[in-house]
Amino acid sequence: MKREINPEIPELMLTEQDLLRFLDRLLHRSRVFLEEEGNTRVLGVYPTDRTLDRIDLKAITAILTVEDRLRLIVAFSLEQSLLESVFKGYAGGIPMKSDEVEFLMEETAGDCINIVVGNALEEFQLSGYAFTVSTPIILKEGKSIQRYKQSKFAAGEIHTEAGNMVVLCINPGIYYKRTLDLEVAE
Amino acid sequence: MNSRTVFVVDDSLITVRKLVQMLEDLGYKVVGFAQTGNDALAKYRELQPDLVTMDITLPDMSGIDVVRRILEQDSKALIIMITSHGQEKMVVDSIEAGAKGYVMKPVKPEILKETIEKVFTAYGVNA
């Protein structure tokens, strides 16, 4: 699925301002998804005006990478109660067996990040840059992540009637595995 | 219910379930689904649907490759892509490969119906 990279065009490394601007688009699009697709009322959106050194993840985290010339990790970390609420709205009465519920709930988190990142990338207008978006992975582990070397962390929070969610961007993401563990030995 | 048949290809089971329900609510007959490219190719031969909805990202090959390989089997196959924003280049590649249209996620029933009907009308598939 990876396309060839033109070596004459350098990897895009976002400035702190661009990263925060992209985070703003992600937060906006996440709110739209939570309300329109997840039928969950948003109480407040809290962007940040600076990058951070550490992030604490919540119970469920959906992660995807935007690769090629733009190398960026995006993670949506949700409280379990929020995921359950979004799942109820998103699944909207589709037939399912009781032993499928947990898996379909995780797929809902994956669909959420996939759709939101796609919409945010379009609004961010990265025309001229070729990139591919990975399939999402789901992490079920509330851990802390430390910033490493030149990587920048931008994160904002969304508070809803059903619980809270953290939206995190890491750029460049080359120092991290897709599980958000460090790729390189410190 | 009209008699036109649709085959759904998407790696996400929840998306498959949502699309199946949406298509049935719109009056189409969903004859099957697949979550991988290889499964899609095998089932297409067996099911011979009037139309395929195809995800761009599949675990074993890209949806674009599946489009090409289905069209090698059946040059009259009608396939529309189901895709996220941010994959516009891949949508263009899909259309060049022979897909007849596309719908952006999150899929809205009215847009899906409009796109399918345009394709059926253009290629003379009647209810």
Side-chain angles (χ1 to χ4, degrees):
Chain A
M1 293 292 290
K2 229 167 139 51
R3 260 175 276 145
E4 276 185 27
I5 298 171
N6 181 346
E8 293 177 5
I9 300 175
E11 292 279 334
L12 178 64
M13 194 158 142
L14 296 180
T15 64
E16 181 164 338
Q17 272 192 332
D18 276 346
L19 192 61
L20 292 170
R21 195 162 63 89
F22 183 62
L23 173 70
D24 190 59
R25 290 295 80 206
L26 286 172
L27 289 167
H28 168 69
R29 279 290 164 185
S30 298
R31 176 183 197 139
V32 171
F33 185 94
L34 292 173
E35 292 189 327
E36 292 186 2
E37 300 297 319
N39 203 19
T40 299
R41 192 162 63 95
V42 171
L43 304 175
V45 178
Y46 304 97
T48 178
D49 59 357
R50 62 187 172 83
T51 51
L52 308 169
D53 289 328
R54 193 184 109 153
I55 293 290
D56 296 320
L57 298 181
K58 298 188 184 299
I60 303 279
T61 303
I63 303 155
L64 61 70
T65 55
V66 182
E67 295 177 67
D68 283 9
R69 289 165 218 167
L70 174 65
R71 187 169 293 171
L72 177 70
I73 295 174
V74 181
F76 286 5
S77 195
L78 297 85
E79 290 177 354
Q80 182 70 27
S81 55
L82 173 55
L83 180 58
E84 286 169 9
S85 174
V86 173
F87 174 63
K88 199 173 162 189
Y90 190 64
I94 62 170
M96 67 185 77
K97 298 172 192 160
S98 58
D99 62 357
E100 293 178 322
V101 170
E102 189 178 345
F103 174 68
L104 291 174
M105 210 180 289
E106 288 172 16
E107 286 212 324
T108 298
D111 275 14
C112 172
I113 194 168
N114 196 20
I115 290 169
V116 167
V117 169
N119 285 322
L121 284 169
E122 189 195 30
E123 290 184 354
F124 200 59
Q125 294 182 330
L126 288 162
S127 55
Y129 291 100
F131 48 79
T132 56
V133 179
S134 71
T135 52
I137 64 162
I138 303 297
L139 198 64
K140 292 190 280 188
E141 182 187 2
K143 63 184 177 184
S144 294
I145 313 165
Q146 294 286 340
R147 192 178 70 79
Y148 184 73
K149 285 192 171 176
Q150 302 99 318
S151 62
K152 295 191 231 11
F153 283 11
E157 282 213 21
I158 299 178
H159 294 184
T160 80
E161 59 185 355
N164 300 339
M165 163 180 172
V166 171
V167 174
L168 165 67
C169 303
I170 302 175
N171 179 258
I174 50 175
Y175 306 115
Y176 294 89
K177 296 176 185 169
R178 292 189 65 205
T179 52
L180 301 182
D181 295 316
L182 273 177
E183 182 75 65
V184 290
E186 286 189 78
Chain B
M1 172 77 77
N2 64 52
S3 59
R4 292 173 299 179
T5 58
V6 180
F7 174 47
V8 173
V9 183
D10 200 299
D11 64 333
S12 161
L13 185 59
I14 194 161
T15 301
V16 167
R17 296 271 175 89
K18 283 170 70 77
L19 277 173
V20 168
Q21 186 176 56
M22 202 179 284
L23 287 160
E24 288 179 347
D25 288 347
L26 291 170
Y28 303 106
K29 184 179 179 188
V30 179
V31 289
F33 71 89
Q35 292 182 262
T36 66
N38 281 316
D39 194 28
L41 291 167
K43 285 184 176 164
Y44 182 86
R45 276 192 292 272
E46 175 195 333
L47 299 168
Q48 297 290 306
D50 292 319
L51 182 131
V52 181
T53 68
M54 179 72 63
D55 187 15
I56 281 194
T57 309
L58 296 170
D60 53 346
M61 64 181 87
S62 82
I64 303 165
D65 289 333
V66 185
V67 169
R68 286 196 189 99
R69 291 177 61 177
I70 286 178
L71 286 165
E72 283 169 11
Q73 291 178 29
D74 175 7
S75 61
K76 292 181 179 172
L78 302 179
I79 306 169
I80 62 169
M81 309 307 290
I82 306 287
T83 180
S84 300
H85 288 284
Q87 294 182 318
E88 281 79 359
K89 171 71 171 70
M90 297 177 90
V91 171
V92 171
D93 291 347
S94 307
I95 300 296
E96 285 175 359
K100 303 298 188 284
Y102 64 92
V103 175
M104 293 288 185
K105 291 179 182 176
V107 178
K108 303 292 182 193
E110 60 276 15
I111 304 289
L112 181 62
K113 184 178 174 65
E114 185 186 334
T115 306
I116 291 175
E117 287 304 318
K118 272 186 186 170
V119 172
F120 278 153
T121 302
Y123 292 90
V125 179
N126 301 311

